[in-house]
Amino acid sequence: MEPVAADIYLGGTLSLDALLYACRILSKRLSAWLKAHHLVWQRMNVTLDTEERPMSVSREFTRAQPPENVRLHLERLLHSIQLVAPVEKLYVELDWLSLPPASQLAMFDSKDTEREDRLRKAIAAASRAHSGILFRASDLVLSRRELMLSFYDPWRNFIRGTGTAGTLAEERENPAV
């Protein structure tokens, strides 16, 4: 994909505050464009056109960066530059654009407490209306702790077919069960 770039004219400033303000403006523009196109980036090039000569700094990242990180990394790059002449123009280019990596989707990932609360209330209301026959599937499964302990603890080991907890002595006497 082609890189995306934005620039702003500063009119010959040496002030770090003016550069940081310009940084905020450019990062908003670039972030909005990336969000609109659903893209992430992995390389940033910053060029400062000064009265003497242009200064360039670039940074490559091992992982794709979301649009929200543009401002953070742009400010870090600006802090690393030693200004010796007034800056006429700030130019920022984001490169190595790609689609964001896939993420696992979940119906209810416990991040939305309001939705989780509505689900709990709906299940409770349906359970009351239908004589308690409705419940969540997650309630049927043993907890991970119990499941892991059943591999090692003989008191949690069930004898096949009886549904009762067995002991080692019973298993030695009745190996066929």
Side-chain angles (χ1 to χ4, degrees):
M1 295 187 128
E2 293 294 317
V4 61
D7 61 354
I8 190 167
Y9 290 93
L10 300 172
T13 184
L14 269 173
S15 168
L16 182 62
D17 291 333
L19 282 174
L20 292 177
Y21 181 73
C23 164
R24 279 184 240 133
I25 293 170
L26 291 178
S27 62
K28 282 182 184 178
R29 279 189 216 161
L30 292 169
S31 295
W33 189 89
L34 289 170
K35 285 179 185 177
H37 290 85
H38 306 289
L39 295 173
V40 294
W41 57 280
Q42 208 166 343
R43 182 176 181 198
M44 178 181 280
N45 297 319
V46 177
T47 304
L48 298 171
D49 284 340
T50 64
E51 291 179 355
E52 293 178 3
R53 61 181 168 77
M55 299 172 62
S56 293
V57 179
S58 65
R59 176 134 189 241
E60 298 172 1
F61 300 92
T62 55
R63 293 187 187 144
Q65 300 294 313
E68 298 83 28
N69 287 358
V70 172
R71 180 176 173 190
L72 170 76
H73 293 297
L74 183 55
E75 286 180 357
R76 284 184 180 168
L77 279 176
L78 287 178
H79 281 293
S80 70
I81 297 174
Q82 295 294 327
L83 293 177
V84 292
V87 178
E88 294 293 326
K89 182 173 97 170
L90 174 63
Y91 177 79
V92 179
E93 180 183 77
L94 300 177
D95 203 357
W96 299 351
L97 304 178
S98 64
L99 293 173
S103 62
Q104 178 67 41
L105 299 177
M107 180 106 60
F108 300 106
D109 54 0
S110 299
K111 290 181 183 174
D112 190 355
T113 56
E114 182 180 322
R115 183 181 286 174
E116 192 69 31
D117 189 45
R118 284 187 304 194
L119 176 66
R120 207 175 310 112
K121 287 178 182 177
I123 290 174
S127 181
R128 281 192 303 272
H130 297 286
S131 307
I133 61 172
L134 293 175
F135 46 87
R136 294 178 84 158
S138 60
D139 296 338
L140 294 175
V141 180
L142 291 174
S143 70
R144 176 163 170 76
R145 179 179 183 274
E146 286 296 321
L147 190 62
M148 296 310 290
L149 286 173
S150 71
F151 289 115
Y152 303 103
D153 189 359
W155 294 102
R156 286 184 172 83
N157 192 7
F158 286 93
I159 298 174
R160 283 180 255 143
T162 63
T164 60
T167 63
L168 289 175
E170 289 175 351
E171 289 177 13
R172 285 187 195 127
E173 292 172 7
N174 249 343
V177 177

